[in-house]
Amino acid sequence: MRAGSPRLLREINDRAAIDALLRDGPLTRSELEYAIGLSKPATAQLLARLEEEGVVVREGLRGGGRGPRAQLWAVNGSIANIAAVDLTPRGLDVVIADVSGATLAEYLHPQSARGTADEVVGGFRQAVVTACEMAGRTVEDLTHVIVGAPGAVNPRTGHLWLAPHMPAWEGFDMPGRLTDEIGVPVSIENDVNLVALEEMSAGIAVETRNFVMVWLDQGIGGAIVMDRKLVRGATGGAGEIDWMYVPDRAAADTGIPPTGTRFGDLVSSPSVVKLAKAHGIAARNGWTAVTRAVQLMASGQQQGEPFLTDLARRVATGVAGLVSVMDPELVLLCGKTGLAGGETLCRLISTELRSMVVPRTPVAFSALGVNAVRAGALHSALAVVREQVFGLTGHITEPSRRQVVSPADA
């Protein structure tokens, strides 16, 4: 055996133990022994060494059954801390967690996306500082921050674009400026990309290698995953399907010419409300209109089906090009409007797609709940920090920072 091999094997075993404790812990010694395949003495020595180094801690006792209760072991979460932020036109939703994944604090900071760059950047710092204080931490205790933002961040300049509803955040190196502001590395990722990452971690795309995600909400967005890697594009704009110009195949007249308009203008919440009104369904927003239509269909009334069929035609027209080129395993709907449509809207979109393209791609709706963007940012930040601290290769790699374009492995 070559010199240095025992040390290498020890490092490999340490990483395997830490990975098992992060994934399934807290664990007893015997449970960890089974998980990583070491002998009883080797596992005991490993735990003793990691405890001395402050990497693992004792976490109570396993109760139940006959005989003595067994000591539980867990990763020492205080080794590192992260922040995940969902940035919207209305404000910042911040969560602070330790490296074990335990949530330490959540904070919602109202803030307009208009005004000056100094105002929004200052508000960002205030939000992170307040969340850290709630968690009993300081900003200096953070190892990394990941922000989910609407639009795209150009990896060469750090500038946010394709986000006209976020004017105060445009025109400057966003990750660089935020990093300088709080003194902690900050990465920016498109919000829908983070939802796609979360779907691969904890949603219905856990075993899916290629899929298209369509975000139907107040605004419209998308994400493309190929071979379990996010496709970001040369300027960060891959998946920004709301800017595609497509024809309007809806039967109802809502003032949009059949030659079409932007996809985002066809299926955004205000446009869905207009389409619903043309079919005799009144609603304040797109998801309420879709919910009412689904309820009408479920009760045997036919009023909801023509509206949902028209909406499905619009969605399918925007997605057809991606499906034809990619031939993905799945089209996944998310966002409030997409989730409101559920299986009914998925079925209608699938029917429309089959009349337009060759691939018979199934359409499904996201299994994720609220805060999907923030959850995706949290998992991504944990993967980054766990690789930095423990050498673990996570299922999600770091979103691009300025002048760095590296696809996210899932």
Side-chain angles (χ1 to χ4, degrees):
M1 184 174 290
R2 295 175 303 181
S5 293
R7 179 178 178 181
L8 176 60
L9 290 174
R10 185 168 62 247
E11 291 176 353
I12 292 173
N13 289 334
D14 287 355
R15 285 196 294 269
I18 293 167
D19 188 40
L21 289 170
L22 288 171
R23 184 182 63 248
D24 304 320
L27 299 175
T28 64
R29 180 204 50 76
S30 60
E31 290 169 340
L32 182 61
E33 174 188 330
Y34 177 80
I36 63 179
L38 289 181
S39 65
K40 179 177 179 180
T43 304
Q45 291 174 6
L46 179 151
L47 285 170
R49 183 176 65 257
L50 292 181
E51 182 183 27
E52 183 178 354
E53 295 171 357
V55 176
V56 302
V57 292
R58 298 169 187 258
E59 189 89 350
L61 300 172
R62 175 85 75 200
R66 297 180 179 179
R69 295 192 295 172
Q71 177 68 58
L72 287 168
W73 298 88
V75 170
N76 182 2
S78 65
I79 290 176
N81 304 277
I82 58 96
V85 183
D86 179 10
L87 174 64
T88 74
R90 299 173 301 279
L92 301 96
D93 188 3
V94 186
V95 60
I96 307 296
D98 65 27
V99 75
S100 74
T103 297
L104 304 178
E106 298 174 304
Y107 174 60
L108 185 61
H109 179 79
Q111 176 176 281
S112 172
R114 303 185 182 276
T116 68
D118 288 343
E119 289 171 345
V120 294
V121 170
F124 175 85
R125 176 178 177 79
Q126 180 184 345
V128 175
V129 167
T130 301
C132 286
E133 290 175 348
M134 293 171 62
R137 303 289 192 271
T138 66
V139 173
E140 290 74 20
D141 292 325
L142 297 178
T143 303
H144 202 90
V145 179
I146 289 187
V147 180
V153 174
N154 189 311
R156 295 181 178 86
T157 66
H159 287 202
L160 181 70
W161 66 299
L162 297 176
H165 51 311
M166 306 283 288
W169 289 95
E170 296 180 330
F172 62 91
D173 175 9
M174 190 174 172
R177 179 79 180 271
L178 296 180
T179 295
D180 291 342
E181 183 71 17
I182 65 173
V184 177
V186 177
S187 298
I188 314 296
E189 181 62 273
N190 172 264
D191 51 2
V192 185
N193 280 352
L194 288 173
V195 178
L197 292 176
E198 184 67 5
E199 283 288 353
M200 286 189 282
S201 296
I204 67 173
V206 171
E207 298 182 358
T208 304
R209 301 202 63 81
N210 305 281
F211 66 93
V212 174
M213 174 164 280
V214 183
W215 177 274
L216 303 175
D217 207 296
Q218 186 68 26
I220 305 305
I224 300 170
V225 174
M226 297 186 67
D227 198 23
R228 294 192 68 78
K229 298 177 185 293
L230 278 173
V231 178
R232 292 194 178 89
T235 61
E240 292 293 340
I241 56 177
D242 56 328
W243 293 86
M244 295 189 307
Y245 200 94
V246 296
D248 184 11
R249 297 174 56 243
D253 182 9
T254 60
I256 298 175
T259 52
T261 183
R262 278 178 43 208
F263 180 58
D265 290 336
L266 284 177
V267 292
S268 66
S269 178
S271 297
V272 173
V273 169
K274 289 182 181 179
L275 185 62
K277 184 177 180 181
H279 285 282
I281 299 175
R284 292 181 300 172
N285 51 55
W287 46 95
T288 301
V290 171
T291 298
R292 289 177 180 173
V294 170
Q295 291 172 345
L296 288 170
M297 289 185 63
S299 63
Q301 302 180 54
Q302 298 303 312
Q303 186 182 13
E305 186 168 2
F307 158 59
L308 290 178
T309 299
D310 265 356
L311 178 57
R313 287 176 182 144
R314 286 182 170 182
V315 175
T317 303
V319 176
L322 295 176
V323 171
S324 184
V325 171
M326 280 186 59
D327 188 17
E329 299 169 59
L330 182 67
V331 172
L332 192 56
L333 301 185
C334 59
K336 294 178 184 176
T337 303
L339 296 179
E343 294 181 0
T344 301
L345 184 58
C346 290
R347 172 175 53 80
L348 293 171
I349 294 172
S350 180
T351 299
E352 293 298 323
L353 273 176
R354 294 186 177 193
S355 70
M356 301 175 66
V357 296
V358 173
R360 295 297 184 252
T361 306
V363 181
F365 61 96
S366 171
L368 302 177
V370 296
N371 298 327
V373 174
R374 198 186 71 180
L378 178 62
H379 274 121
S380 188
L382 285 171
V384 171
V385 173
R386 287 171 179 177
E387 183 172 4
Q388 292 175 351
V389 175
F390 302 125
L392 299 176
T393 302
H395 295 295
I396 303 172
T397 57
E398 178 181 357
S400 301
R401 293 168 64 188
R402 184 177 173 183
Q403 297 178 343
V404 177
V405 184
S406 57
D409 293 326

